[in-house]
Amino acid sequence: MRVEDRMLIKNLAHTAEIINTINGGMTEPRIKIDKKETEWTVKVKVPGVSAEHLKIEVRDYEMFLFHIISEETTADIELPYLLSAIKLTNQVDFDRIMAEYAAGELFIHLPLDETASGYERDIEIFKK
């Protein structure tokens, strides 16, 4: 297969994903929460969505995961699509929350601290 053909297929797939989502279709995330004594780990897999198009926000005791939809020709227009809202325990240490993206899966680490209290911040996603 020629390089041009591969690029055409990739661009068509990306455009189809955007049109499908805008027209009411959705990318269904697979979310697994592993709750341990010292940390919660949230594993998220969103088929067809790269790390650059994911956003995580924490507001008090809730974490929001968004798929940011943008068209390549109009990069200044971004549409946030809510994938999930996860209730958090009041023991999450909000200053130490970390997210990393590896092998097509997002890992959000939520360390616990008994003295923690509510907070608001966006979480940066690191790629491995």
Side-chain angles (χ1 to χ4, degrees):
M1 182 180 279
R2 297 182 337 205
V3 173
E4 294 85 12
D5 293 338
R6 285 187 208 153
M7 290 303 296
L8 176 63
I9 292 170
K10 181 179 177 182
N11 288 336
L12 287 173
H14 177 71
T15 302
E17 175 70 22
I18 289 172
I19 291 170
N20 181 44
T21 304
I22 290 173
N23 287 329
M26 66 174 64
T27 301
E28 188 68 33
R30 289 189 299 254
I31 299 172
K32 181 181 177 199
I33 303 173
D34 184 17
K35 297 179 181 179
K36 294 188 177 162
E37 199 171 298
T38 59
E39 176 182 89
W40 286 11
T41 302
V42 180
K43 297 178 185 177
V44 182
K45 186 160 184 115
V46 187
V49 179
S50 65
E52 293 80 15
H53 292 102
L54 293 174
K55 182 176 180 178
I56 305 165
E57 292 182 5
V58 174
R59 304 217 183 285
D60 287 322
Y61 302 111
E62 201 158 14
M63 182 173 63
F64 301 95
L65 178 61
F66 295 96
H67 173 193
I68 303 300
I69 302 166
S70 63
E71 180 59 53
E72 289 179 18
T73 57
T74 57
D76 56 332
I77 299 175
E78 294 184 339
L79 305 170
Y81 177 76
L82 181 64
L83 294 173
S84 182
I86 299 170
K87 290 281 187 193
L88 302 176
T89 174
N90 62 352
Q91 293 181 341
V92 171
D93 184 345
F94 291 94
D95 289 325
R96 293 184 22 225
I97 295 173
M98 187 192 78
E100 58 187 346
Y101 187 87
E105 195 165 22
L106 177 63
F107 298 88
I108 306 166
H109 303 277
L110 304 161
L112 301 180
D113 181 354
E114 291 180 12
T115 62
S117 61
Y119 194 80
E120 180 176 314
R121 83 179 254 223
D122 291 343
I123 309 300
E124 183 178 353
I125 300 172
F126 296 96
K127 289 196 305 187
K128 283 192 168 187

